[in-house]
Amino acid sequence: MSAPHQLSLAEASAQIAGRKLSPVELLEDCLARIAALDPKLNAFIRLTEEEARAGAQAAETEIMRSGPRSALHGIPVGIKDIIDLAGHPTTCHSRQRLDHMADRDAAVVALLRAAGAVFPGKLSTHEFAIGGPAFDLPFPPARNPWNPAHHPGGSSSGSGAAVAARMMPAALGTDTGGSVRHPASHCGLVGLKPTYGLVSREGVFPLAFSLDHVGPLTRTVQDSALMLNVMSGGHENYARDLGQGLKGLRIGFVRHFHETDQPADAEVAAALEAAAKLMEAEGATLRTITLPALGEFAAVNRTILQSEAAVVHEEWLKTRPSYYAGVTRRRLLPGLFIPAVDLMHAARDRTKLIAAVEAAFDEVDLLLTASSMDPACRIDDTEAVERTYPRQARTPFNVTGHPAVTVMAGLSSGGLPLSLQLASRSFTEALLLRAAQGYERAAPWKDRAPPLDG
Amino acid sequence: MDDATLAALIRAAGLEETAREFPDDVREALATVARQRASLPRTSDPTLEPTPGHLAPRR
């Protein structure tokens, strides 16, 4: 029998509902795992053990009395430290916010709490979800459980590291240019960016208002659906189509993203081709689709992101710039020099890009693309880390708002996860997750774990 | 960019103090924006609406 921390969210949930596993036992096992591994992975900024213990105890009592409230009742969920957890600072991994205190939960945390989730702590991030990995901050950067010398992806770095290391079954991340899907890709997880607006951003420190999304990082697609059911307010069951597989689905493979726009590492390209073949073998119909070039999406994303972030950070950039890590300051300052007319050009081109992706969805049900163009680089290789951020195909769906999910699609020769991305029409997450699970089920990667257990 | 233009842009952005403390970062930010502007698409369609759209408030 698996140790409780090794269970997926759905497995733990089923055992809790069947009274074979106590939420207290699950939490204690996760806390022991955190104590053992976090000193080398730095996934956590702050542990909230006592509150989590009280939550797990209350969950156990209630479940024994009247059964679970939801699939998340008694499940430990990590919170990225730009999301408010009542009674604790939301530091945003920054010196600027060390004295902050959240007086109430973010809306998405309140939904999780009402569903019975417990919160073992706040997870590390790039500073303000943009500046990192950095070594000149009050907290060290998270590291990749598959190889701690490597970048776990960002900005939801702690969320990726913690879930991949089996410290907890699920965590919240945020995604403005790919920051849920990047750590998911580098850590061998499922990272979901829901449709823009589906999950509330209230109580989440903004990076760029019109690009920000909140999404879950989990080990399986089913777990992602269970998280989204709660995070979106409980109005829809996103697990309803799981198990239907890929048969009959029309998938557009956006090859130019990784073949010509940002040529991918050979192992990434081979993994994508193998995934496409597997999807066909599972009954999907694949065709090549052409979208606007990645560079156009990136230019629009960058101009909007920098402009919106500048509004948020203007005062601190003027009055206490030394409080930022150097990399954060350098990434934020350009926003104060972007002409207003450029922002409007980007906003108008965004309309065209949305129309182009919508037109693709007139021909296919889903888009298949690369996520990262390379396996995770070394975390101390500053130039390689800088190259990571443009060498990806995630920002198109921040610009357009369409839902997108990344899943593991292989292992590099260096033992690091490879990934793919699927996207679908807005508010069709049930279809998106059905397709992702169809691939996950047919591929051999779901149960691969980082080499942390000897 | 000549020094007078640089100083004028920094003053317009209200970043004089920051530029004194981190002159390289501010100079780099201006260079970054100049580089990025070249790759930003500029439509010639005068009627193209931006996204997010601007909506009248509902009562």
Side-chain angles (χ1 to χ4, degrees), chain A residues 49-105:
Chain A
E49 292 163 289
E50 291 317 307
E51 274 183 39
R53 284 189 170 107
Q57 185 60 61
E60 180 180 289
T61 303
E62 184 179 332
I63 291 164
M64 290 303 288
R65 190 180 60 235
S66 52
R69 293 183 208 172
S70 79
L72 301 192
H73 204 168
I75 299 293
V77 176
I79 308 294
K80 180 179 182 178
D81 199 30
I82 69 165
I83 302 172
D84 285 349
L85 180 66
H88 299 283
T90 305
T91 70
C92 303
H93 210 124
S94 179
R95 210 169 278 114
Q96 303 278 10
R97 299 260 298 183
L98 289 178
D99 59 355
H100 173 266
M101 182 59 67
D103 57 9
R104 59 180 177 161
D105 287 335

Side-chain angles (χ1 to χ4, degrees), chain A residues 284-362:
Chain A
T285 306
L286 264 82
R287 55 176 290 192
T288 298
I289 285 276
T290 302
L291 293 178
L294 265 183
E296 184 172 346
F297 286 104
V300 168
N301 182 273
R302 188 169 53 226
T303 302
I304 295 170
L305 192 159
Q306 289 172 341
S307 302
E308 294 184 5
V311 169
V312 176
H313 290 274
E314 180 183 20
E315 184 178 342
W316 287 336
L317 285 168
K318 290 177 177 175
T319 58
R320 45 189 205 188
S322 64
Y323 282 37
Y324 292 107
V327 64
T328 315
R329 194 170 51 245
R330 288 189 289 277
R331 287 180 185 165
L332 289 172
L333 276 170
L336 292 177
F337 293 112
I338 293 174
V341 70
D342 280 11
L343 174 60
M344 294 314 294
H345 274 301
R348 297 210 307 164
D349 200 63
R350 190 178 195 180
T351 304
K352 290 170 66 178
L353 293 173
I354 292 169
V357 175
E358 281 291 305
F361 285 129
D362 288 340

Side-chain angles (χ1 to χ4, degrees), chain A residues 154-221:
Chain A
S155 64
S156 308
S157 314
S159 307
V163 177
R166 277 62 176 162
M167 293 176 180
M168 64 195 66
L172 294 187
T174 60
D175 192 315
T176 307
S179 288
V180 162
R181 292 163 288 156
H182 186 198
S185 296
H186 279 352
C187 293
L189 298 174
V190 176
L192 173 66
K193 183 201 78 66
T195 306
Y196 180 78
L198 181 61
V199 176
S200 172
R201 294 180 292 107
E202 183 191 332
V204 180
F205 195 91
L207 174 55
F209 312 100
S210 75
L211 298 164
D212 289 346
H213 302 67
V214 183
L217 291 97
T218 57
R219 279 166 39 208
T220 71
V221 174

Side-chain angles (χ1 to χ4, degrees), chain A residues 306 317 329 342 348 351, chain B residues 18 25 36-37 42 49 51:
Chain A
Q306 289 172 341
L317 285 168
R329 194 170 51 245
D342 280 11
R348 297 210 307 164
T351 304
Chain B
T18 306
D25 288 356
Q36 288 176 180
R37 292 194 78 190
R42 287 173 155 71
E49 291 277 338
T51 299

